[in-house]
Amino acid sequence: MTHSPGTRLGGYEILSLLGAGGMGEVYRARDLRLGREVALKLLPPDLAVDPERRERFRHEARTLAALDHPNIVTVYSVEEDSLMPGKTSKTSDSPAARSAASKQIDAMIAALDDWRGERLAEIRALIHAVDPEVVEDWKWRGAPVWSRDGMIANAGAFKGKVKITFHHGAQLDDPKGLFNAGLEGNKWRAIDLHEGDALDKTAFKALVRAAIKYNRSHDVPKSKGSRT
């Protein structure tokens, strides 16, 4: 059920719908108690009564709250209404604070109420940890793209997996063997991650550094996106 602007849910007033998916809806809302705007994510009614889904929802909030990076939304609270569990996080009207692409990525991650949202948030944080000047774009049929002097990688959430595709992956050294998809091509390489898969974070960041180095040393298309 989509809530109209002006609807009051607990201590929040709905301002607009930011995004929606099978696992939740994300609204721009006003916290009436503290007088600030927030992004409010709600579980659908059919999932709100499922204890396992509610626990996943809490786990997602804890995971995001543990990440500290300007490109990752700050989680303010988890609301435990018996019929409408929700999570609030920081939002901003300032174009300089967050690009439109970054806000779309925020909404995409927030709409995924399972391990895939947590994994995408982790991947995003790792990429920005390598280089704070990484640019975020929203391309490739609704997928986040990260660039620095050219495209580094794009990511997507699919049924049962998260895929991270490096645009010049075939040219990168991968001593830890992270690439496990698209191995037959001469340009792209991908990492398919399923629920419970371990990710070597050090090796992943090394791939990101190698991708940036490749972009700088080769004539590759440059990003037209905005830094966040």
Side-chain angles (χ1 to χ4, degrees):
M1 178 181 70
T2 301
H3 299 283
S4 302
T7 301
R8 292 196 176 189
L9 302 174
Y12 302 95
E13 179 184 356
I14 299 298
L15 300 178
S16 64
L17 179 68
L18 292 176
M23 305 303 294
E25 297 175 340
V26 183
Y27 295 90
R28 180 179 292 274
R30 183 178 301 281
D31 185 333
L32 299 174
R33 293 161 294 191
L34 299 179
R36 63 184 176 186
E37 288 193 7
V38 299
L40 175 64
K41 179 178 179 179
L42 305 176
L43 274 177
D46 59 325
L47 299 182
V49 296
D50 185 337
E52 181 179 349
R53 293 293 185 181
R54 291 170 69 102
E55 180 53 36
R56 284 189 180 184
F57 196 72
R58 298 186 195 99
H59 180 68
E60 176 192 3
R62 289 193 294 266
T63 299
L64 293 176
L67 299 174
D68 181 16
H69 192 278
N71 289 94
I72 308 298
V73 294
T74 300
V75 174
Y76 282 146
S77 66
V78 177
E79 307 296 331
E80 291 290 341
D81 186 289
S82 60
L83 296 179
M84 186 201 67
K87 179 175 85 265
T88 61
S89 53
K90 185 177 181 181
T91 187
S92 173
D93 289 320
S94 170
R98 299 188 64 74
S99 71
S102 292
K103 292 177 182 178
Q104 287 176 296
I105 297 171
D106 289 345
M108 173 191 178
I109 290 174
L112 292 166
D113 189 37
D114 58 15
W115 66 272
R116 295 173 301 163
E118 299 166 19
R119 182 64 88 178
L120 282 171
E122 178 187 36
I123 293 299
R124 188 187 196 188
L126 289 173
I127 292 172
H128 286 291
V130 171
D131 189 333
E133 293 298 306
V134 164
V135 171
E136 293 194 320
D137 292 318
W138 184 254
K139 296 180 179 178
W140 301 95
R141 299 181 182 179
V145 180
W146 293 278
S147 302
R148 183 71 165 106
D149 298 311
M151 292 185 181
I152 300 169
N154 69 278
F158 302 92
K159 185 177 181 180
K161 69 179 180 182
V162 166
K163 178 184 286 289
I164 309 100
T165 302
F166 282 72
H167 290 263
H168 302 286
Q171 310 305 319
L172 307 180
D173 290 333
D174 179 26
K176 298 296 184 179
L178 296 189
F179 292 136
N180 58 9
L183 303 180
E184 67 284 352
N186 58 9
K187 182 178 179 181
W188 301 54
R189 291 287 186 273
I191 303 171
D192 284 352
L193 295 170
H194 301 84
E195 186 172 10
D197 284 352
L199 175 64
D200 186 329
K201 297 178 183 179
T202 300
F204 182 83
K205 290 195 288 186
L207 281 178
V208 174
R209 290 190 191 95
I212 294 173
K213 182 178 180 180
Y214 180 88
N215 289 344
R216 289 173 172 168
S217 60
H218 292 78
D219 185 17
V220 299
K222 306 304 180 184
S223 170
K224 296 181 180 180
S226 301
R227 288 186 180 85
T228 55

